[in-house]
Amino acid sequence: MLNQERRVSVVMEERSPHDRAERQREFAECVLPEVEMLLRVAMTLTARPDQAEELVRGTLARAYRTFDRRHGRQPRTWLLTLMHQERTDRRRLRGPRPRRDREAGPGPSPAGVSGQPAKPVVLGQSFHEVVDIALAALPVRYRQVVRLVDMDGLSYAEAAGSLGMSEATVKSRLRRARRRIRVRLAAAGLVPGRGER
Amino acid sequence: MTCRQAGRVLQAYLDGETDDATARRVAVHLEDCRRCGPEARAYREIKRALVRRTEPDPDAVERLRGFARGLLQHETEGEGEEQTPVA
C-alpha cells in the first residue's frame, strides 16, 4: 500500500558488488541497533503491540528505501522521523476513526497507555502509585511526551521527531505533564508545596 | 540566576538538555535557594519514578531484526520488489 509515496524503486542504481556490500554493512550498523528502541517508541505511539510491530516494519522498509538520502543525520533521529512519516501515511490510508475505537479495539492496552479517568488520590498511597495514577490520568498528548522522554529515554529532539512537532512543544507538554503529576503528589501529601512551575 | 530563570529551565536541566554553563548556574541556584531546591528534588523524584523502562517483547524485536536483515538479503538477490507488509 505504497501508492501514496513517490516511487523510489530505484534504490539500487547501478552498484558494484563492493558498493552494495558497503551499503549493506552501513545499513545493518545504522539500523539494527535501533530496532528495540523503535519498537519501544512504537508501543508508546500506538499503544497496541500488533500495530507497533507493523509500524516498525513499515519504518524499516522506509529506512531501507531511503537509506541513501539520510544525509548524515543521526541514525536515531532519522529513524524516528521516518517512523512519524510512516505513521502519518498509515493513518491517512486508514482514514479518520472515532476516538472511542481505541477502547473497543482488539488487543490489550499496556498499563498507563490508554486514557483512564482520574482516580482520586488516597492518603497512604506510595509515591510510585500516585505517579502511576497521575500518568494514566494525563491527556494522551502529555502522556506520550512523558513516556517518550522518561521511559523510552529519547532526547527532546528525538521525541519531537517521532511526534512530528517542535522541540518547544515537547518541552512545554513535558513541563505541563510533570506539573500535573506534581500537583497530585502534593494533594497526597507526598511532596511539599504547590507545584506552580 | 533568579528563581524565575531557574524555573524556566528546570525541566530541561533535569533532563540533561541544557548546555554546561546553564547547568552550572542552575545547580548553584538550586543549592542556595530554599524554594527552588525542594522543587527540583520533587521533580527529580518524579522523573525517577517514571524511569521504569519497559522492555519490549524480545520475540518481536528478533522478528523485526530478521525483517531488516531480510531487506538486505533481498537486495543481494537482486530483486526490486518491496517487502512492506500491509497494515
Side-chain angles (χ1 to χ4, degrees):
Chain A
M1 289 293 233
L2 298 163
N3 52 346
Q4 298 267 334
E5 293 176 16
R6 218 177 301 151
R7 280 166 200 270
V8 280
S9 55
V10 212
V11 187
M12 288 298 299
E13 69 263 27
E14 289 305 306
R15 283 173 206 281
S16 69
H18 176 267
D19 286 351
R20 197 180 294 170
E22 184 62 18
R23 182 179 184 272
Q24 291 191 349
R25 190 188 57 76
E26 270 184 49
F27 181 82
E29 268 179 16
C30 177
V31 171
L32 292 179
E34 301 293 352
V35 167
E36 189 175 321
M37 176 279 303
L38 286 174
L39 184 57
R40 196 180 290 135
V41 171
M43 283 294 295
T44 294
L45 297 177
T46 65
R48 291 255 308 258
D50 54 340
Q51 285 183 7
E53 197 169 332
E54 283 303 301
L55 177 59
V56 177
R57 274 172 201 261
T59 305
L60 291 169
R62 196 176 273 254
Y64 168 73
R65 291 196 304 275
T66 61
F67 189 61
D68 296 331
R69 286 181 275 144
R70 70 196 185 286
H71 304 307
R73 275 177 287 177
Q74 287 291 320
R76 183 172 281 208
T77 314
W78 171 65
L79 286 166
L80 288 168
T81 307
L82 292 184
M83 183 181 270
H84 172 66
Q85 291 167 358
E86 180 68 20
R87 188 163 163 249
T88 308
D89 284 356
R90 280 168 183 254
R91 279 167 146 185
R92 201 181 299 139
L93 288 172
R94 221 170 30 223
R97 60 180 186 155
R99 289 180 72 88
R100 267 184 227 116
D101 271 12
R102 228 177 7 228
E103 316 287 333
S109 291
V113 174
S114 68
Q116 291 177 18
K119 289 184 196 162
V121 171
V122 180
L123 282 178
Q125 278 175 320
S126 74
F127 194 93
H128 281 245
E129 281 170 335
V130 176
V131 169
D132 279 348
I133 292 168
L135 180 67
L138 289 176
V140 178
R141 65 185 187 282
Y142 290 168
R143 188 167 56 241
Q144 272 185 339
V145 173
V146 169
R147 285 181 58 100
L148 289 173
V149 172
D150 286 331
M151 299 185 183
D152 301 330
L154 301 191
S155 69
Y156 290 177
E158 290 162 353
S162 66
L163 291 167
M165 58 180 60
S166 70
E167 266 187 69
T169 307
V170 166
K171 254 181 179 168
S172 131
R173 287 189 181 180
L174 200 53
R175 187 169 142 144
R176 283 161 198 256
R178 287 176 179 162
R179 189 190 298 162
R180 288 188 187 207
I181 296 173
R182 190 200 189 297
V183 165
R184 288 182 80 90
L185 284 163
L190 291 164
V191 296
R194 294 188 300 276
E196 283 308 314
R197 299 223 153 139
Chain B
M1 180 173 268
T2 64
C3 294
R4 201 185 175 81
Q5 289 169 329
R8 224 175 282 146
V9 292
L10 181 62
Q11 301 298 331
Y13 166 75
L14 294 173
D15 290 325
E17 293 264 354
T18 52
D19 59 67
D20 290 350
T22 307
R24 276 195 297 273
R25 290 170 61 212
V26 177
V28 169
H29 179 82
L30 294 182
E31 220 164 277
D32 293 343
C33 181
R34 270 194 270 170
R35 182 164 165 257
C36 298
E39 185 85 350
R41 273 196 293 281
Y43 279 115
R44 200 171 270 136
E45 278 303 307
I46 291 171
K47 193 168 166 61
R48 208 168 287 153
L50 287 166
V51 180
R52 282 154 298 153
R53 200 159 293 187
T54 44
E55 293 307 324
D57 174 12
D59 292 342
V61 174
E62 216 23 70
R63 275 196 299 277
L64 289 166
R65 289 209 178 108
F67 177 80
R69 287 190 199 100
L71 292 169
L72 297 175
Q73 202 86 41
H74 211 59
E75 179 175 299
T76 308
E77 286 161 15
E79 291 173 28
E81 210 50 44
E82 292 295 348
Q83 294 191 356
T84 314
V86 175

